[in-house]
Amino acid sequence: MFTEALLVSVQQPAVQQDVMGWIFQLIWILAFIVIWIYGQRIQTTLMLREIEGSLVRLKAMRDRGRQMVISAIKEIGKPNEDPTARVDRLLEHVDIEPVSLDPTGIIRRLEHIIDVRDFRLKDEVRQMAPQADETQINNLTNVLEAALALNQIYKIVRHYYLMGKKTLSFYIILQIQMILPLIMRESEAFASALRAFMLGQPIGDGAGALVAARLMYGREKRLIAQDTVVSEIDLEGRKAYVIKAKGPGGNVGKPGEAIKQIIEGEEGRIALTIIIDAAQKLEGEKPGEVAEGVGVAIGGPGVDKYKVEEIAAKYKVPLSAVLIKEGIEDVVSTMRKEIVDGVEEAIERVKRLIRENTKEGDTVIIAGIGNTIGIAQ
Amino acid sequence: MEEGGVRRAPIFFMAVIIVMLVMSLAALILALVAYLTQNTIEYMNVILSVSAIALSVYLLIQMRRKPPSLGFETLKVSTVIKCVKCNYESVREFERGDYVLKEVGSCPKCSGTLHIYSIFREVKEREKTY
């Protein structure tokens, strides 16, 4: 049938062919005019569609995360009542930063707010999961925090999407559309973190803690600050204080406070402080690569970093940093093999730094920073 | 949205793609007719219609592809167990309750303490040349 139509078409007179040609010309001109006039509107609609697609995925992640928190609490904590309403209330939890108009004492105020938040979240989890032990409470708190982050991300993206749709403002939509790939990567990392936290698996952020754990294994430990342990070891003929958060529950501890206490206790007679932490790699760098530097390699809101900088500057203690590189998607998901290999290299780097920068008999501090979930000591 | 399922294409976009496909096929036939009757090749028509056909086929395939993952997939996680005294080492799948430096029995070689040395997941990535 198609062949017949083609043959008929071939036998049509040239005038009819010209008419068809004109129709096509007209269609092209009309398309050009439409794009010229409504180009930005079409682009806006397409961008909104892209955001909508991502929003659907973010909602699925948020809902799945919420469900995982509820089922984890039910499974581990054996609560007497349904925790759903309480989880929903906690997922809407907000932290209000301290006022910065008068920056005097802001670190102390920020630390207080962080402490109150941590205490409140753990206390809520403890009440929801009465059968859970301390490690499980810490892990469940981490699960809850990951679900909370997914909820916040979803709500922020939805806010910009709806605002853009309402105002049809190209620039509001453009802002969110431009950073959408990064937001999605971060959300996928949190989604992946939920499973790791539920199962208590070590995460990429715990690379520093793993270095410290390997160094202090089999030695006596004591609690030096909240959720933070220290061990005195002999390393390369030097006395080394090794610090890490108390595991294997999900904790970051207070390494800043611990370092401050040790430096003050030794009255500043510390030959070197080495801080080992996971650091975000640049695109193209390999995960698990190790880099060295100077300064305080402690992430987070800055309270611990500030404390170490203050005390180190007061006593003129040299600060070295050993960084284990990883991508944003690896920070909160189960530790990759490359990062475990990076930990081995970081230990060798720490030993080399001590040999090259201190003398036998000196005292050094080695602090492994990061969430110690799935890593004991 | 169902994880792992095939994405359902929106009807509007599907209609636009089908219209584009039909129009580009028509344009290609016209170019063919012109060649058969007048022995002239309408290069512009041919290029535009072929690229429009390619674009619509590509969009149709894209619409039917599997959706990207949400990040909740179960990963293969390994637990490495080592003896603190000798060089005995074994690798098994991660079990709930495992954590690094957990003591997990005695060594079959030297009766020393076995502990979990590391827990990790393996990710296969393409080798980059830059």
Side-chain angles (χ1 to χ4, degrees):
Chain A
M1 206 170 149
F2 176 75
T3 332
E4 281 170 21
L6 188 63
L7 283 171
V8 170
S9 170
V10 171
Q11 286 153 8
Q12 279 172 348
V15 179
Q16 211 166 338
Q17 294 296 320
D18 276 357
V19 172
M20 287 302 283
W22 274 107
I23 290 169
F24 269 93
Q25 288 281 359
L26 194 68
I27 289 169
W28 282 119
I29 289 164
L30 277 173
F32 178 74
I33 292 168
V34 166
I35 288 168
W36 186 41
I37 297 171
Y38 294 106
Q40 201 176 61
R41 180 70 64 90
I42 294 166
Q43 205 178 342
T44 308
T45 313
L46 286 174
M47 285 199 293
L48 277 171
R49 279 200 164 273
E50 194 188 328
I51 300 167
E52 197 181 318
S54 298
L55 199 58
V56 170
R57 285 184 63 207
L58 284 173
K59 189 175 184 298
M61 285 184 200
R62 192 273 305 254
D63 292 345
R64 188 83 176 266
R66 174 184 169 272
Q67 206 48 52
M68 281 171 90
V69 177
I70 294 166
S71 58
I73 288 170
K74 280 181 179 170
E75 193 187 324
I76 299 165
K78 309 268 186 298
N80 302 320
E81 56 187 62
D82 187 15
T84 309
R86 208 165 188 147
V87 168
D88 286 340
R89 182 164 54 78
L90 283 171
L91 289 180
E92 299 299 323
H93 182 89
V94 285
D95 309 318
I96 301 156
E97 286 176 14
V99 64
S100 57
L101 277 172
D102 177 12
T104 321
I106 194 167
I107 296 287
R108 193 173 46 81
R109 286 182 278 132
L110 179 64
E111 186 180 18
H112 175 64
I113 287 169
I114 293 167
D115 287 349
V116 171
R117 177 189 188 271
D118 283 354
F119 176 77
R120 187 69 56 81
L121 279 180
K122 279 185 187 169
D123 195 47
E124 291 273 5
V125 172
R126 203 170 280 122
Q127 286 181 44
M128 280 190 289
Q131 302 286 310
D133 60 28
E134 208 50 39
T135 301
Q136 288 168 331
I137 282 170
N138 286 334
N139 293 356
L140 284 174
T141 309
N142 282 190
V143 176
L144 187 67
E145 282 187 88
L148 200 148
L150 283 173
N151 187 41
Q152 291 292 323
I153 293 171
Y154 165 68
K155 287 181 120 181
I156 290 166
V157 174
R158 185 181 63 179
H159 167 77
Y160 278 100
Y161 168 73
L162 291 175
M163 188 125 100
K165 211 172 174 182
K166 203 180 272 181
T167 58
L168 273 182
S169 162
F170 182 69
Y171 295 100
I172 290 175
I173 299 161
L174 188 67
Q175 276 185 77
I176 196 78
Q177 195 257 353
M178 282 196 301
I179 57 164
L180 207 54
L182 298 176
I183 292 175
M184 294 313 289
R185 270 180 78 179
E186 205 167 317
S187 307
E188 280 158 23
F190 278 120
S192 163
L194 278 162
R195 189 168 290 279
F197 289 146
M198 264 179 77
L199 297 169
Q201 292 169 342
I203 56 168
D205 185 49
L210 186 54
V211 171
R214 290 262 165 88
L215 291 172
M216 63 165 66
Y217 178 63
R219 310 296 169 94
E220 205 175 304
K221 294 116 202 161
R222 66 182 160 93
L223 206 65
I224 187 166
Q226 191 194 323
D227 296 327
T228 314
V229 289
V230 65
S231 181
E232 282 178 48
I233 66 163
D234 181 78
L235 194 68
E236 306 286 318
R238 283 80 167 165
K239 178 182 160 190
Y241 287 100
V242 185
I243 299 165
K244 80 176 272 290
K246 191 183 169 197
N251 259 327
V252 288
K254 285 183 172 275
E257 183 59 34
I259 294 171
K260 186 181 166 193
Q261 280 190 32
I262 292 168
I263 294 176
E264 279 177 343
E266 291 282 337
E267 290 169 338
R269 288 186 295 271
I270 299 290
L272 181 66
T273 295
I274 304 171
I275 297 171
I276 310 112
D277 197 5
Q280 194 176 338
K281 73 176 181 74
L282 298 172
E283 286 300 324
E285 284 183 321
K286 285 181 184 156
E289 265 184 21
V290 181
E292 287 170 40
V294 289
V296 181
I298 306 180
V303 174
D304 290 286
K305 191 174 178 176
Y306 173 82
K307 280 187 181 177
V308 179
E309 282 173 354
E310 272 283 300
I311 199 76
K314 184 180 170 188
Y315 290 103
K316 304 273 181 273
V317 176
L319 293 164
S320 281
V322 175
L323 305 169
I324 301 163
K325 303 281 188 80
E326 51 194 72
I328 191 165
E329 61 279 7
D330 299 325
V331 176
V332 282
S333 54
T334 309
M335 196 177 276
R336 287 175 67 149
K337 185 163 188 317
E338 294 88 337
I339 297 168
V340 175
D341 297 339
V343 165
E344 304 296 334
E345 199 195 324
I347 293 171
E348 292 310 313
R349 298 268 191 124
V350 168
K351 286 178 183 171
R352 187 184 52 77
L353 277 170
I354 290 173
R355 279 196 306 272
E356 288 176 1
N357 298 293
T358 62
K359 301 187 295 294
E360 279 195 26
D362 278 349
T363 304
V364 296
I365 295 174
I366 302 162
I369 311 300
N371 190 325
T372 190
I373 189 164
I375 305 165
Q377 51 274 327
Chain B
M1 191 168 66
E2 275 301 306
E3 230 180 307
V6 174
R7 189 165 32 180
R8 284 177 60 197
I11 296 165
F12 171 73
F13 268 94
M14 204 70 171
V16 168
I17 291 167
I18 289 167
V19 167
M20 189 160 82
L21 193 64
V22 169
M23 280 182 67
S24 38
L25 278 170
L28 194 65
I29 291 165
L30 273 182
L32 185 68
V33 167
Y35 176 70
L36 291 173
T37 52
Q38 294 157 28
N39 212 19
T40 53
I41 302 170
E42 290 180 357
Y43 288 105
M44 196 52 117
N45 238 353
V46 173
I47 292 166
L48 283 172
S49 50
V50 168
S51 28
I53 289 167
L55 183 66
S56 21
V57 169
Y58 170 75
L59 287 174
L60 278 173
I61 293 166
Q62 283 289 99
M63 279 187 162
R64 300 297 301 165
R65 84 191 148 95
K66 277 176 86 178
S69 72
L70 292 182
F72 289 104
E73 299 77 18
T74 312
L75 307 163
K76 192 180 174 288
V77 178
S78 307
T79 298
V80 178
I81 297 165
K82 274 189 180 180
C83 174
V84 289
K85 277 187 188 165
C86 67
N87 57 357
Y88 174 81
E89 186 184 311
S90 75
V91 182
R92 63 162 166 79
E93 223 169 278
F94 175 85
E95 287 169 12
R96 203 175 193 138
D98 281 358
Y99 58 82
V100 177
L101 302 183
K102 181 187 181 185
E103 292 183 357
V104 284
S106 52
C107 176
K109 268 186 174 177
C110 69
S111 300
T113 312
L114 285 179
H115 73 292
I116 295 177
Y117 187 72
S118 57
I119 295 168
F120 57 79
R121 68 184 162 103
E122 279 185 85
V123 183
K124 280 179 189 144
E125 267 181 8
R126 265 192 294 174
E127 194 69 31
K128 285 176 187 138
T129 51
Y130 44 86

